[in-house]
Amino acid sequence: MTAYTLGSLLYEGKAKRVFATDQPDLVAVEYKDDATAFNALKKAQLAGKGELNCRISALLFEHLASRGVPTHYLGVQGSQWMLVRPVRVIPIEVVIRNVAAGSLCKQMPIQPGTPLEPPLLDLYYKDDAYGDPLLTEARLDVLGLVTLDQRRELEELARRVNGELLTLFDGIGLQLVDFKIELGFTAGGELVVADEISPDTCRLWDRAVTDASDRILDKDRFRQDLGGVVEAYGEVLKRVQGACPEPRIYR
Ligand code: TMP
Ligand code: ASP
């Protein structure tokens, strides 16, 4: 893999910074220690979170690549940097829910922990100023962000990701309750999984633990003030490391 030089800051999000490089087909992503919830109403610095999420995301992207799922991921460098292909990210958050939790249980009369079969796929408009609202099909048409074919392709890719991750996590004693992914188009027009996949963006419950709080190994520990956030992410990393190809090092 070729050496690169860091260029200008392209975008700063709540948990990551995205930089150009001297290579047009390479973008560098820095994972930050910042933790936010409830559209950044709640904020904290969690030492080690950036490194953990970078490593977990890299391992999951390696796993998806090994299963033939296209992603923007190219490799890692140092502890908090990921190298990715530049993509035009579609401003839609795709959430797949295998078990009822979180906002679903606040918006519908459904008990947390209820299995959802088939998994529920929800689309949200990614815009903090509007609070990332749930999209209906009609609203998606009004926004015109994707064609009908692209929407079908996006949903199919998200369901493939769910299938692969469900099997992976199941094998390491973790229940994938739900997750959010973002997708984008490469310069060549290929639809790929972008952003990150980590305990910030997934709900993961330890299958061996029955207590409803103790089993949580994801950002709900931060959202619900349960403590032990970094320790929980460390446990996820430990398990994922045993089940995924080692991340490629980008020099
Ligand atoms: P929700 O139950 O709050 O709608 O969250 C569903 C999933 O999406 C959960 O795994 C957390 C993830 N998520 C994000 O990654 N970013 C967000 O901004 C939100 C609200 C949820
Ligand atoms: N990602 C959102 C925020 O940072 C919400 C969440 O994850 O709960 O505010």
Side-chain angles (χ1 to χ4, degrees):
M1 292 177 187
T2 29
Y4 67 92
T5 307
L6 212 55
S8 58
L9 178 69
L10 296 175
Y11 169 80
E12 176 154 8
K14 293 192 286 282
K16 294 184 294 298
R17 286 189 196 95
V18 181
F19 292 84
T21 71
D22 57 344
Q23 297 171 31
D25 55 352
L26 190 71
V27 167
V29 181
E30 182 189 18
Y31 282 69
K32 304 193 286 186
D33 283 343
D34 298 352
T36 68
F38 314 117
N39 205 1
L41 281 177
K42 180 172 180 169
K43 291 187 207 173
Q45 280 276 314
L46 297 176
K49 184 182 83 89
E51 182 171 348
L52 286 161
N53 277 353
C54 184
R55 289 201 61 79
I56 294 166
S57 276
L59 287 156
L60 296 176
F61 282 137
E62 289 284 358
H63 177 76
L64 290 175
S66 77
R67 304 290 303 162
V69 177
T71 80
H72 69 157
Y73 168 84
L74 293 171
V76 289
Q77 193 206 36
S79 56
Q80 279 172 247
W81 289 88
M82 183 178 285
L83 287 310
V84 303
R85 291 191 276 172
V87 295
R88 182 171 59 80
V89 176
I90 306 163
I92 294 175
E93 300 193 338
V94 186
V95 171
I96 295 202
R97 304 173 190 275
N98 297 302
V99 174
S103 68
L104 184 72
C105 302
K106 297 202 176 93
Q107 294 167 356
M108 279 176 46
I110 186 164
Q111 280 302 310
T114 308
L116 298 163
E117 187 52 51
L120 182 64
L121 187 149
D122 284 329
L123 301 179
Y124 296 83
Y125 179 46
K126 182 180 163 63
D127 191 326
D128 285 345
Y130 291 97
D132 297 344
L134 180 65
L135 286 168
T136 61
E137 251 180 63
R139 288 183 185 206
L140 199 51
D141 285 345
V142 172
L143 282 173
L145 297 171
V146 281
T147 64
L148 190 58
D149 281 351
Q150 286 172 337
R151 197 179 89 221
R152 289 208 182 106
E153 198 191 341
L154 178 149
E155 295 190 0
E156 197 186 303
L157 187 52
R159 288 195 187 276
R160 259 178 85 195
V161 171
N162 186 44
E164 296 297 345
L165 294 184
L166 268 176
T167 308
L168 174 81
F169 285 126
D170 201 42
I172 51 176
L174 296 175
Q175 182 166 30
L176 178 62
V177 173
D178 58 29
F179 66 94
K180 179 269 298 183
I181 53 170
E182 294 176 29
L183 302 135
F185 292 103
T186 63
E190 188 191 6
L191 184 69
V192 299
V193 181
D195 193 48
E196 68 177 285
I197 308 177
S198 73
D200 267 13
T201 62
C202 300
R203 284 197 174 89
L204 293 165
W205 292 348
D206 189 340
R207 284 192 178 278
V209 179
T210 44
D211 181 85
S213 297
D214 292 348
R215 68 183 172 185
I216 295 171
L217 295 176
D218 57 66
K219 196 161 116 179
D220 272 350
R221 299 204 71 83
F222 174 68
R223 295 189 188 98
Q224 299 173 24
D225 291 321
L226 297 173
V229 182
V230 171
E231 291 76 5
Y233 285 33
E235 178 61 27
V236 173
L237 174 62
K238 200 173 81 187
R239 296 196 200 187
V240 165
Q241 255 166 347
C244 298
E246 192 53 25
R248 283 161 269 182
I249 308 295
Y250 216 101
R251 291 175 208 287

